[in-house]
């Protein structure tokens, strides 16, 4: 009696091989076989009608644990382009090693012998499967070819459609606009190509030409906004290159103001406007010698005096003239 | 008569100078070129004009060319020197009857320079009237008569 490791129960027992007849072992064995047979059943379904699919690395890279051999085997067979579902599993089950291991497993674990043949695939079955797979692969390749041809047809149809649109645009609109704006024809062409590409994006639609010519984007005689004269593109050179930033005058003015800011704010005439325009009768603020009152009043007093003087002068002249007249009379 | 000082020949020129000169003392000398005292003043003004160029702009005016200013400024003696700052009249207390102008000639260049400096500093402090730094002995004596009497 030595230590005995049971792979099904994953434990070591010291009661010898008697363990495999125990209730717990048989229970676990039944569960394991159920799971195993479930997978084998699925594989056997494809035995008569093999499934071939396009290779998808997320779904077709699965592996399978063979309890009989204690090995991990590939479930599907693939060449990188297409996959035969359950091909790896069936191939493994048809090998003589698997057959030998299965017999040993059943004997060792005292499993039900009626399930044993289900996990073994005979030579005949294997041969038939291989023939079926060859047929399936052939039909799959044919189907792929057909799909590629269909795609090519689609692309060709789209290209033809695009050409039609472009042709129409060039013939109807472009010729008129070319005569109107001969210097900008390359811009127009670019626009047309972009427009036609956009139009071709509507797949499966049939182009029958613009019905309403006046509603189309190229109205003869109308200037589209991107062709209107830019005010910056004037004939004068200065306008074509507008100055960025402040001008020299602005800079000098700013410098003057900086200088003035350093002076005391309450100095005499700090708010005096040096650039104001005044008429010929303007007089500066002046405190006169005989002036009483404020300085600004002296100006008004002076004007009054001037007015009186003029009036007196006029009176005197008038008086002289009248006396002369009287003498004459 | 001075060849080195700019001359103002009309009221318009005087207006422009009074209005246009900023942050500087405008010195207007009213007189006649051929007058002997005027020649003395012109000598002093022209010799100091360069040194005072940061503080003052000096101009000479013929009393006969701008009669309206002669009347407005009550100029009865020549030469008379009037000071402006930023378009405002600067009065100076010389101890003489007239605070509005300096009448006669300065004795030395230094007297004039001191006067300009005092006016400039006073104006910068906001004073409309300043005390003359000139020795009273160096200021010409004269009497003013009110012309209305």
């Amino acid at each position: 009696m030595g230590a005995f490791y049971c792979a099904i129960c994953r434990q070591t027992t010291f009661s010898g091989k008697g363990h495999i007849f125990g209730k717990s072992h048989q229970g676990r064995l039944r569960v394991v076989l159920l799971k195993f047979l479930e997978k084998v059943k699925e594989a056997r379904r494809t035995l008569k009608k093999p499934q071939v699919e396009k290779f998808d690395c997320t779904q077709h890279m699965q592996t399978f644990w063979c309890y009989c051999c204690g090995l991990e085997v590939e479930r599907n067979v693939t060449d990188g382009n297409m996959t035969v579902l359950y091909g790896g599993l069936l191939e493994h089950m048809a090998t003589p090693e698997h057959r030998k291991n299965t017999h040993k497993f059943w004997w060792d674990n005292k499993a039900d012998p009626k399930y044993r043949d289900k996990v073994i695939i005979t030579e005949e079955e294997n041969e038939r499967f291989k023939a079926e797979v060859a047929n399936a692969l052939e039909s799959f390749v044919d189907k792929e070819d057909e799909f590629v041809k269909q795609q090519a047809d689609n692309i060709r149809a789209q290209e033809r459609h695009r050409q039609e649109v472009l042709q129409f645009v060039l013939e109807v609109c472009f010729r008129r606009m070319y005569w109107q704006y001969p210097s900008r024809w390359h811009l127009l062409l670019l626009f047309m190509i972009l427009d036609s590409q956009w139009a071709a994006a509507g797949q499966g639609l049939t182009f029958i030409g613009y019905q309403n010519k006046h509603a189309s984007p190229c109205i003869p005689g109308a200037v589209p906004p991107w062709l209107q004269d830019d005010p910056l593109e004037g004939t004068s050179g200065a306008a074509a290159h507008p100055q960025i930033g402040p001008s020299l005058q602005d800079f000098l003015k700013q410098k003057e103001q900086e200088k003035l800011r350093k002076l005391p704010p309450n100095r005499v005439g700090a708010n005096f406007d040096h650039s104001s325009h005044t008429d010929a009768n303007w007089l500066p603020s002046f405190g006169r010698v005989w002036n009483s009152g404020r300085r600004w009043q002296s100006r008004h007093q002076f004007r009054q005096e001037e007015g009186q003087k003029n009036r007196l002068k006029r009176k005197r002249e008038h008086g002289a003239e009248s006396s002369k007249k009287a003498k004459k009379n | 008569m001075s060849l080195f000082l700019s001359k103002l020949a009309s009221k318009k020129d005087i207006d422009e100078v009074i209005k246009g000169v900023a942050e500087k003392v405008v010195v207007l000398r009213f007189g006649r070129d051929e007058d002997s005292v005027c020649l003395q003043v012109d000598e002093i003004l022209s010799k100091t004009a360069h040194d005072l160029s940061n503080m003052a702009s000096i101009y000479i005016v013929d009393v006969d060319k701008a009669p309206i200013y002669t009347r407005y400024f009550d100029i009865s003696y020549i030469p008379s020197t009037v000071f402006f700052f930023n378009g405002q009249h600067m009065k100076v207390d010389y101890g003489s009857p007239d605070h509005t102008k300096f009448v006669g000639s300065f004795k030395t260049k230094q007297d004039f320079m001191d006067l300009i400096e005092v006016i400039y500093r006073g104006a910068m402090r906001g004073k409309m009237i300043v005390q003359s730094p000139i020795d009273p002995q160096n200021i010409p004596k004269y009497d003013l008569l009110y012309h209305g009497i």
Side-chain angles (χ1 to χ4, degrees):
Chain A
M1 293 265 249
F4 171 71
Y5 178 74
C6 175
I8 300 293
C9 305
R10 290 181 198 164
Q11 64 181 24
T12 308
T13 54
F14 296 97
S15 56
K17 291 207 170 178
H19 162 75
I20 57 172
F21 299 101
K23 218 177 191 178
S24 64
H25 176 82
Q26 287 297 327
R28 278 195 194 113
L29 182 67
R30 212 174 300 132
V31 172
V32 163
L33 281 180
L34 254 171
K35 281 202 281 183
F36 188 35
L37 286 171
E38 195 66 33
K39 286 172 189 169
V40 171
K41 219 162 129 190
E42 261 182 61
R44 270 180 180 275
R45 244 181 248 147
T46 65
L47 201 59
K48 282 181 183 166
K49 202 181 173 190
Q51 288 179 358
V52 180
E53 283 182 8
K54 208 165 158 57
F55 176 67
D56 181 3
C57 63
T58 55
Q59 287 174 10
H60 297 156
M61 293 295 279
Q62 288 171 342
T63 49
F64 171 84
W65 179 257
C66 179
Y67 290 94
C68 308
C69 311
L71 269 179
E72 205 175 38
V73 293
E74 292 273 328
R75 201 171 73 171
N76 309 311
V77 171
T78 177
D79 67 340
N81 285 327
M82 41 201 173
T83 310
V84 180
L85 290 182
Y86 296 106
L89 176 56
L90 294 171
E91 213 174 323
H92 170 74
M93 290 201 301
T95 53
E97 287 85 32
H98 177 75
R99 186 189 192 82
K100 217 168 88 184
N101 286 330
T102 306
H103 280 286
K104 190 169 176 286
F105 180 82
W106 247 257
W107 179 254
D108 282 350
N109 292 297
K110 298 290 177 280
D112 199 339
K114 70 178 176 189
Y115 296 128
R116 188 179 52 202
D117 289 339
K118 283 192 177 176
V119 299
I120 295 167
I121 287 174
T122 56
E123 296 258 320
E124 285 167 32
E125 276 175 325
N126 194 24
E127 287 296 319
R128 222 183 298 149
F129 175 69
K130 275 180 182 166
E132 290 289 336
V133 163
N135 283 340
L137 281 176
E138 219 163 273
S139 64
F140 179 77
V141 167
D142 287 350
K143 224 187 279 173
E144 280 289 293
D145 281 352
E146 221 162 279
F147 180 69
V148 167
K149 272 178 198 160
Q150 209 178 334
Q151 288 286 325
D153 279 348
N154 257 355
I155 290 167
R156 244 172 260 131
Q158 276 182 17
E159 177 64 21
R160 208 180 318 120
H161 173 67
R162 197 183 70 83
Q163 289 288 348
E164 276 174 11
V165 174
L166 193 61
Q167 194 67 24
F168 174 81
V169 167
L170 290 178
E171 279 181 5
V172 178
C173 306
F174 178 67
R175 205 168 289 166
R176 285 180 201 166
M177 293 182 87
Y178 175 77
W179 289 115
Q180 281 177 19
Y181 316 105
S183 62
R184 307 223 173 140
W185 67 273
H186 54 282
L187 269 179
L188 275 172
L189 191 64
L190 185 66
F191 162 70
M192 296 304 172
I193 288 166
L194 287 175
D195 192 51
S196 65
Q197 278 176 354
W198 172 80
Q203 286 180 2
L205 301 174
T206 314
F207 181 71
I208 56 165
Y210 291 113
Q211 298 302 308
N212 188 357
K213 281 177 187 169
H214 292 290
S216 69
C218 12
I219 301 165
V223 181
W226 59 91
L227 290 178
Q228 281 168 1
D229 277 334
D230 200 345
L232 290 178
E233 285 179 20
T235 47
S236 60
H241 303 284
Q243 272 192 351
I244 298 167
S247 65
L248 183 64
Q249 280 94 356
D250 288 346
F251 172 70
L252 291 175
K253 213 175 175 184
Q254 179 70 17
K255 225 169 125 184
E256 278 294 305
Q257 280 180 350
E258 288 288 322
K259 219 187 264 176
L260 288 185
R261 209 171 290 161
K262 284 178 195 159
L263 297 173
N266 61 342
R267 66 191 186 277
V268 171
N271 298 323
F272 185 76
D273 187 5
H274 294 282
S275 56
S276 65
H277 291 282
T278 48
D279 59 355
N281 292 325
W282 179 81
L283 289 171
S285 156
F286 184 80
R288 299 183 75 197
V289 188
W290 308 107
N291 172 46
S292 61
R294 311 221 165 188
R295 284 191 187 195
W296 58 266
Q297 288 172 329
S298 62
R299 212 177 318 182
H300 298 293
Q301 286 171 3
F302 177 72
R303 293 233 164 90
Q304 274 178 359
E305 281 172 24
E306 290 285 295
Q308 276 176 2
K309 222 183 267 175
N310 288 344
R311 238 174 281 147
L312 278 174
K313 214 186 271 174
R314 241 177 276 149
K315 260 186 194 172
R316 252 179 244 152
E317 283 169 9
H318 193 71
E321 274 176 24
S322 59
S323 60
K324 273 178 194 172
K325 275 178 191 171
K327 274 179 188 173
K328 276 180 185 175
N329 291 334
Chain B
M1 170 188 180
S2 170
L3 297 169
F4 308 105
L5 294 170
S6 35
K7 273 186 175 181
L8 303 174
S10 66
K11 181 189 179 286
K12 201 182 153 209
D13 292 346
I14 300 169
D15 283 356
E16 273 173 14
V17 163
I18 291 172
K19 278 197 297 178
V21 177
E23 318 304 335
K24 264 193 195 180
V25 181
V26 176
V27 181
L28 299 176
R29 192 279 280 151
F30 285 84
R32 288 194 182 108
D33 288 344
E34 63 277 1
D35 188 81
S36 59
V37 191
C38 286
L39 285 170
Q40 285 176 29
V41 176
D42 289 354
E43 170 79 5
I44 287 170
L45 296 184
S46 60
K47 291 262 171 99
T48 52
H50 179 73
D51 289 348
L52 292 170
S53 57
N54 281 335
M55 277 195 283
S57 304
I58 301 167
Y59 300 91
I60 51 180
V61 187
D62 199 315
V63 278
D64 303 322
K65 294 269 176 65
I68 188 155
Y69 271 123
T70 314
R71 287 203 298 281
Y72 185 44
F73 293 160
D74 296 317
I75 290 162
S76 41
Y77 297 101
I78 54 166
S80 292
T81 313
V82 186
F83 303 99
F84 282 88
F85 190 89
N86 271 350
Q88 311 295 316
H89 178 217
M90 293 299 295
K91 282 190 179 184
V92 187
D93 184 2
Y94 303 102
S96 64
D98 197 346
H99 293 176
T100 63
K101 60 186 89 67
F102 185 87
V103 178
S105 171
F106 300 99
K107 190 156 190 200
T108 57
K109 285 188 281 182
Q110 193 57 51
D111 281 353
F112 177 66
M113 288 163 82
D114 289 348
L115 180 63
I116 293 295
E117 191 175 337
V118 165
I119 291 170
Y120 183 81
R121 284 169 188 270
M124 278 299 175
R125 289 204 208 97
K127 302 260 167 67
M128 303 291 277
I129 181 164
V130 293
Q131 197 72 33
S132 162
I134 305 171
D135 187 349
Q137 288 177 350
N138 295 345
I139 291 171
K141 303 286 183 291
Y142 57 94
D143 286 322
L144 269 189
L145 280 178
Y146 186 51
H147 61 207
I149 292 172

